[in-house]
Amino acid sequence: MSTKDKTKQKIIELTTNLNKWNSEYYNDNVSSVDDTIFDKAMEELIKLEKQYPKFKQENSPTNKVGIMAASTFEKAEHSIKMLSLNKVNTKDELFHFFKQVTDKVGNVSYTVEPKIDGLSISIIYKNGKLDRALTRGDGIVGEDVTNNVLQVKSIPKTIEDKKELIIRGEIYLPITEWTRINKKRLAQDKEPFANPRNAAAGTLRQINPQVVKERNLSSFIFQVVKGATGENWFDTQEKTFKGLKDLGFKVIKETFKSNDYEKLYEKVIHLLDGRADNDYETDGVVIKVNENKYYDELGYTSKFPRWAIAYKPPSEVKETKLINIHPTIGRTGRVTYVASLEPVKFADTMVRKASLHNYDYISILDLRIGDTVQVKKAGEIIPKVISSIKNEAHDKNEVYPKATICPSCGDKLINIEGEVDQYCVNDNCPSRIQESLVHFASRDAMNIEGLSEKQISKFIEIGIVNSIIDIYRIKFEDLIDLEGYQKTSVNKLLASIIKSKDAGLDKLLFALGIRHIGKKSAKELAHRYKNIDALLNLNRDKLISDEDFAHVKAGSIVKWFNDETNQILIKELKDIGLKVTYERKKIKTSDKFVNKILVITGTINGFKREEAKEYFEALGAKVTTSVSSKTDILIVGENPSDKKINSIENAKIISIKSKDEL
Ligand code: IVH
């Protein structure tokens, strides 16, 4: 066949596939392919049609802009346009966004949160009642899906605020619901939904609200575009979330606020790396200026606000062979299935392993060992198998059986009623011990340099450590004869272990790996109770009332501290001199800064921005980001903001270019 004929055939094939997928998506609410594959096919068709216009088919999907099924929903205009978010793909582009904001309004704080992969929704409340819910549509006119939104449990039907309120957010289908629905569909010989987003889209546009009710959609609300004026409960992103939560809306928990670009980027990567273990899918991260007062000054384009941006690393899809499947055990005992792949090259790395989540994921994709599979990777996110290519080989390959025993300790795996995941509940399981030690020593926990996965697995293997306390019992003689260790490296590791004893209560509480206690809760607990002894004697109801802690968290803390083995561990940690108290860092005694409202502009050599802030806070100052009439002291470092210096009224200006001057 000539190249021309081949191209013609390719154009016909792409046209047929894309039309089929479109029709399945819009008319039958099913998607047989992942969005990335759809986009790739569309891109290729556009390219080929441009090169060979005469081969373009009459029914080409490229003729239609946003193909829609005949709509049965009433259209309605948004009283305030529904904007979208501009996107960046790289760290440089993200930092360029920060720079553009800073150039316009000076140094500000930002929030970072996951970008939920669902459908945008705009909801109007009148007189405290849910009045109308509209899809985005083209941003100007949306579809009235009120009856379906009324079926979403997390969206309140009535609220206390009686003013007209317009809120916006995302409707999504939890991953566990997607798996449950697909299992049911497979049992009924129906095509499964390719991913939770498509399932949510199909559900929201269902004619029968009863079907919507059964599908258990959920929501996150993150914006107030009208209402609650004058009360200022939404003048920052943080307050918006709190205000919305108080009104009864479900809001995203993983928000992070900082004015340090590197820290913000670190959080972006953390959210993207897929380890966050949430019951929703994300398609990037959203970074927003925290204070709403800058929004008007920063402005808008016709499509996007200039005060927020979505970060989405470019994603690639490659084909390779599935060599094997292994169940692995995490520190909580949860089983994660991992695929071993024939090595496949992506833009920046060679991929040999990919995540398969749980067994239901494997059975829904009908993955069999020996299959040719499609693997997706985006930025630093763990690669994921997204489909298997169904061909003759697939039919001959064997179905992979569900694991029944723990691959590490051999105990029977447990299925919790109503949960997709399987667990190994043996507290002495070697895999669980290893993973909890890795977590204990990790950077955000006790930060023991030179003690990561590789070393811990080796130390366990040769019997040097088997529990947290063993880390503090490692001796020079245990390590000096090991391969890869010399005097300096052994001393360095031992020094780092000793240093970690002073990490403080907040780090320790996080490091202990108590279920549901992340970094933020650990800090809150440490801040409030100051000493681990106070936590040993807590009761659950007191914890809930003191801390406004969710019941699950409070229950988990009390359970952990009531366990005798854990109490022994704490005693041993105290005995070896581990600091089990929390105090703000005190560096120097000087009362020059006590109770002073202080703003830092520019950089101080030797300090990261957040460290400089912590330093002055330790000296008793209250560090804020913007200059006002209340500011007492302005610290001026290198490259300061002229705007800040010029807007000073009575404040004292202190120039500090380097840490050494302090
Ligand atoms: S803030 C001007 N935050 O992404 C819009 N949007 O591509 C400000 N989305 O329409 C939206 N997660 O439906 C925001 N954490 C999040 C989000 C989020 C998902 C959706 C939202 C928006 C679309 C823009």
Side-chain angles (χ1 to χ4, degrees):
M1 219 195 288
S2 71
T3 323
K4 272 193 172 176
D5 286 343
K6 273 193 199 152
T7 313
K8 185 175 173 187
Q9 206 177 25
K10 186 77 199 167
I11 289 182
I12 295 173
E13 186 191 317
L14 288 167
T15 306
T16 316
N17 281 343
L18 284 161
N19 281 341
K20 177 170 160 279
W21 296 334
N22 258 330
S23 150
E24 282 167 353
Y25 179 72
Y26 287 110
N27 300 320
D28 311 329
N29 293 329
V30 290
S31 327
S32 24
V33 288
D34 188 83
D35 286 353
T36 340
I37 297 169
F38 183 97
D39 292 347
K40 230 168 109 183
M42 188 64 112
E43 261 170 42
E44 192 178 355
L45 182 61
I46 293 170
K47 199 176 104 200
L48 292 177
E49 283 179 348
K50 238 188 207 156
Q51 275 171 355
Y52 297 93
K54 63 174 187 224
F55 294 153
K56 181 170 170 172
Q57 304 295 296
E58 246 179 45
N59 62 344
S60 170
T62 60
N63 289 337
K64 304 164 202 156
V65 191
I67 312 126
M68 282 276 193
S71 177
T72 35
F73 293 92
E74 211 181 290
K75 297 251 188 320
E77 204 166 317
H78 292 289
S79 60
I80 299 169
K81 195 170 163 185
M82 245 181 132
L83 296 175
S84 182
L85 286 168
N86 204 357
K87 292 180 194 68
V88 290
N89 301 120
T90 62
K91 183 176 175 183
D92 282 352
E93 286 170 3
L94 175 64
F95 279 40
H96 181 68
F97 163 77
F98 290 144
K99 188 175 177 305
Q100 279 180 326
V101 171
T102 315
D103 285 350
K104 211 152 185 189
V105 295
N107 251 328
V108 294
S109 289
Y110 299 84
T111 57
V112 173
E113 64 202 43
K115 185 165 190 295
I116 314 296
D117 197 9
L119 289 311
S120 313
I121 196 80
S122 180
I123 311 176
I124 306 156
Y125 285 84
K126 282 189 183 155
N127 253 325
K129 263 184 78 181
L130 193 159
D131 183 63
R132 201 169 213 193
L134 303 179
T135 62
R136 171 208 296 285
D138 59 4
I140 297 166
V141 174
E143 282 180 312
D144 186 330
V145 287
T146 314
N147 287 336
N148 286 347
V149 168
L150 284 170
Q151 308 304 326
V152 182
K153 285 195 208 84
S154 57
I155 296 178
K157 317 297 166 280
T158 54
I159 52 171
E160 296 245 317
D161 203 314
K162 297 281 179 279
K163 283 187 266 0
E164 179 171 336
L165 190 73
I166 304 181
I167 50 119
R168 288 183 180 165
E170 200 83 353
I171 300 246
Y172 72 96
L173 189 70
I175 302 173
T176 44
E177 277 301 310
W178 169 69
T179 342
R180 184 187 64 81
I181 294 164
N182 271 353
K183 257 171 121 177
K184 204 164 131 195
R185 288 179 76 90
L186 284 169
Q188 298 166 339
D189 262 348
K190 286 187 185 156
E191 191 70 32
F193 291 113
N195 56 50
R197 198 199 108 88
N198 291 341
T203 307
L204 200 61
R205 302 188 75 258
Q206 272 287 329
I207 318 291
N208 180 358
Q210 193 52 35
V211 177
V212 184
K213 191 170 180 184
E214 283 160 16
R215 297 242 178 111
N216 290 325
L217 289 170
S218 193
S219 65
F220 282 116
I221 302 301
F222 31 72
Q223 240 194 327
V224 180
V225 289
K226 183 175 180 189
T229 35
E231 287 166 24
N232 279 343
W233 64 261
F234 65 104
D235 60 6
T236 65
Q237 283 300 311
E238 282 173 303
K239 287 194 202 161
T240 301
F241 274 31
K242 171 139 194 337
L244 283 166
K245 193 174 165 210
D246 290 346
L247 278 179
F249 293 99
K250 191 168 152 214
V251 296
I252 298 172
K253 286 200 200 105
E254 296 76 17
T255 55
F256 171 81
K257 190 193 85 179
S258 175
N259 59 359
D260 180 319
Y261 302 162
E262 289 294 341
K263 277 205 172 150
L264 288 161
Y265 182 69
E266 212 177 88
K267 183 70 184 177
V268 167
I269 296 304
H270 174 75
L271 284 179
L272 285 172
D273 77 7
R275 267 167 277 191
D277 186 26
N278 289 312
D279 199 13
Y280 50 80
E281 292 219 318
T282 60
D283 65 335
V285 171
V286 184
I287 300 104
K288 302 175 193 169
V289 169
N290 184 40
E291 286 186 74
N292 301 20
K293 70 175 178 208
Y294 298 117
Y295 289 5
D296 286 344
E297 200 178 335
L298 287 162
Y300 300 80
T301 71
S302 63
K303 286 190 194 146
F304 318 117
R306 287 206 175 90
W307 42 263
I309 200 110
Y311 180 90
K312 287 188 178 196
S315 76
E316 291 177 89
V317 175
K318 291 274 157 85
E319 282 178 15
T320 185
K321 197 170 156 189
L322 176 64
I323 302 176
N324 209 344
I325 294 177
H326 308 276
T328 62
I329 309 289
R331 78 186 148 92
T332 59
R334 196 178 60 190
V335 180
T336 303
Y337 289 82
V338 175
S340 286
L341 305 166
E342 207 158 75
V344 53
K345 193 156 175 16
F346 280 75
D348 48 3
T349 42
M350 201 66 149
V351 167
R352 294 181 171 81
K353 282 199 167 88
S355 167
L356 295 172
H357 310 289
N358 46 50
Y359 188 75
D360 284 355
Y361 188 81
I362 300 172
S363 55
I364 285 163
L365 296 187
D366 190 15
L367 297 179
R368 304 183 190 183
I369 292 164
D371 278 4
T372 300
V373 289
Q374 285 180 311
V375 181
K376 180 170 165 179
K377 186 173 185 301
E380 300 182 36
I381 309 177
I382 300 171
K384 190 170 154 180
V385 173
I386 53 167
S387 69
S388 106
I389 300 188
K390 305 278 152 66
N391 52 22
E392 274 173 38
H394 171 83
D395 295 332
K396 289 190 204 120
N397 292 336
E398 269 181 44
V399 173
Y400 178 80
K402 187 170 184 172
T404 52
I405 58 163
C406 169
S408 174
C409 68
D411 266 23
K412 204 163 171 271
L413 293 174
I414 306 294
N415 290 283
I416 297 175
E417 178 75 34
E419 271 195 44
V420 180
D421 289 313
Q422 301 171 268
Y423 288 88
C424 167
V425 291
N426 173 11
D427 288 338
N428 297 316
C429 169
S431 252
R432 289 186 56 190
I433 293 177
Q434 158 147 342
E435 293 306 314
S436 27
L437 295 185
V438 171
H439 171 74
F440 184 84
S442 64
R443 197 160 64 137
D444 289 338
M446 303 305 273
N447 191 17
I448 307 181
E449 269 173 66
L451 197 58
S452 52
E453 182 120 32
K454 201 169 122 211
Q455 293 83 9
I456 288 177
S457 118
K458 189 168 175 185
F459 294 172
I460 290 181
E461 194 190 312
I462 54 177
I464 299 179
V465 294
N466 196 38
S467 68
I468 288 175
I469 193 72
D470 289 346
I471 295 177
Y472 293 99
R473 291 182 177 143
I474 300 178
K475 292 191 291 296
F476 185 86
E477 305 86 75
D478 294 333
L479 305 179
I480 191 65
D481 293 332
L482 297 182
E483 201 190 315
Y485 280 97
Q486 296 98 24
K487 206 174 152 197
T488 7
S489 49
V490 173
N491 281 333
K492 215 169 144 195
L493 175 57
L494 292 176
S496 181
I497 293 175
I498 293 171
K499 188 171 152 228
S500 79
K501 288 186 181 177
D502 284 328
L505 185 59
D506 53 335
K507 306 278 182 197
L508 176 63
L509 286 175
F510 175 61
L512 290 171
I514 305 169
R515 260 195 116 179
H516 306 297
I517 304 303
K519 267 189 288 183
K520 206 168 153 206
S521 311
K523 201 162 192 163
E524 278 166 21
L525 283 168
H527 200 246
R528 175 162 201 111
Y529 295 101
K530 306 277 190 293
N531 191 323
I532 208 157
D533 293 335
L535 285 156
L536 279 165
N537 302 320
L538 270 181
N539 88 35
R540 186 167 163 273
D541 294 338
K542 177 146 175 27
L543 197 52
I544 293 167
S545 62
D546 275 3
E547 270 303 313
D548 192 20
F549 252 36
H551 289 238
V552 265
K553 280 191 192 185
S556 172
I557 296 161
V558 173
K559 187 164 165 238
W560 198 93
F561 281 98
N562 268 332
D563 184 303
E564 205 181 324
T565 331
N566 295 334
Q567 291 176 355
I568 295 172
L569 170 66
I570 291 171
K571 183 170 179 313
E572 287 176 328
L573 289 173
K574 276 176 58 187
D575 289 348
I576 52 112
L578 207 94
K579 186 167 144 193
V580 291
T581 53
Y582 177 78
E583 49 201 68
R584 300 213 87 154
K585 278 186 212 149
K586 265 218 157 62
I587 305 159
K588 236 184 201 178
T589 41
S590 150
D591 45 28
K592 194 153 84 184
F593 297 108
V594 175
N595 294 333
K596 293 285 187 293
I597 298 182
L598 185 146
V599 175
I600 307 167
T601 174
T603 49
I604 301 176
N605 243 321
F607 266 149
K608 286 199 181 125
R609 181 160 295 280
E610 202 57 24
E611 283 171 351
K613 182 170 177 265
E614 277 175 16
Y615 177 88
F616 289 105
E617 278 175 353
L619 295 181
K622 184 169 178 302
V623 181
T624 61
T625 43
S626 47
V627 170
S628 75
S629 56
K630 292 196 190 118
T631 309
D632 297 310
I633 300 172
L634 181 71
I635 303 284
V636 181
E638 297 271 20
N639 302 321
S641 138
D642 291 339
K643 198 173 158 206
K644 283 205 169 127
I645 299 177
N646 294 335
S647 52
I648 276 292
E649 289 175 21
N650 308 314
K652 187 169 165 188
I653 296 183
I654 305 180
S655 162
I656 302 172
K657 303 281 183 253
S658 155
K659 193 177 167 182
D660 306 331
E661 294 168 37
L662 289 161

